[in-house]
Amino acid sequence: MCSSDLLQIRQSDAQRLVQEADQNRRLLARTEKGMYWFRASGKYNLRMIHATFVFRIFTNCEKVYPEMLMAEKLLYTYSTYIDMLSNPIINNINRVFYLLNSIVNKKGFDVRICSKCKSDYVGIGSIETNECSCC
């Protein structure tokens, strides 16, 4: 399942909605599945810092707006993340969906506690770490 399935709209409509939100008109809703993007070499720490940031936006949304549907939480999380950054690293709503869905279902990503700073952070389940990307 991808974000367009969750929102119950066509893939082309999902792409159009995301393009309208992005000033640079980049295509930010490509259909992507799996964790290859997060595992790709280069900027790994930066991607994982942003993954943690996205997860914190999502958990805050769940606390503040518990009545929202999951699709609304996804859109809120993604649009908030995109609006807060001039150069978002996770520039695809399907990546955000996959990240959040895999954390919720405990498949792929998980939330851990950093042994140094004691903050929670997002980690890739198959890669053992005990320190966040910031430490």
Side-chain angles (χ1 to χ4, degrees):
M1 177 182 282
C2 67
S3 60
S4 61
D5 298 329
L6 178 66
L7 299 173
Q8 297 181 349
I9 59 176
R10 294 180 309 204
Q11 180 70 27
S12 59
D13 291 335
Q15 291 172 342
R16 183 182 49 77
L17 287 171
V18 177
Q19 279 180 323
E20 288 174 2
D22 182 55
Q23 293 104 4
N24 297 325
R25 296 289 187 219
R26 294 171 298 187
L27 182 61
L28 302 180
R30 293 176 304 277
T31 300
E32 293 183 350
K33 295 181 180 179
M35 297 181 64
Y36 74 91
W37 183 81
F38 290 93
R39 290 182 177 175
S41 62
K43 295 187 180 179
Y44 171 79
N45 285 345
L46 189 55
R47 279 185 289 230
M48 296 314 296
I49 290 168
H50 280 245
T52 300
F53 183 48
V54 166
F55 180 69
R56 288 183 179 159
I57 294 170
F58 176 75
T59 54
N60 186 58
C61 175
E62 285 195 313
K63 288 177 190 171
V64 175
Y65 306 108
E67 71 285 351
M68 276 186 170
L69 299 173
M70 187 54 117
E72 293 173 312
K73 291 175 187 174
L74 172 65
L75 286 172
Y76 175 89
T77 300
Y78 183 67
S79 61
T80 301
Y81 170 75
I82 292 293
D83 289 345
M84 293 179 82
L85 299 168
S86 58
N87 188 21
I89 299 298
I90 305 173
N91 60 356
N92 181 313
I93 195 168
N94 286 317
R95 290 176 178 164
V96 173
F97 171 77
Y98 186 85
L99 170 71
L100 298 174
N101 188 54
S102 67
I103 291 170
V104 169
N105 292 316
K106 297 178 171 54
K107 292 183 179 180
F109 292 97
D110 55 23
V111 179
R112 304 172 185 171
I113 304 296
C114 178
S115 62
K116 281 191 174 181
C117 69
K118 306 301 182 204
S119 294
D120 61 338
Y121 71 99
V122 174
I124 295 177
S126 62
I127 299 175
E128 292 187 30
T129 58
N130 61 1
E131 291 181 9
C132 67
S133 297
C134 295
C135 289

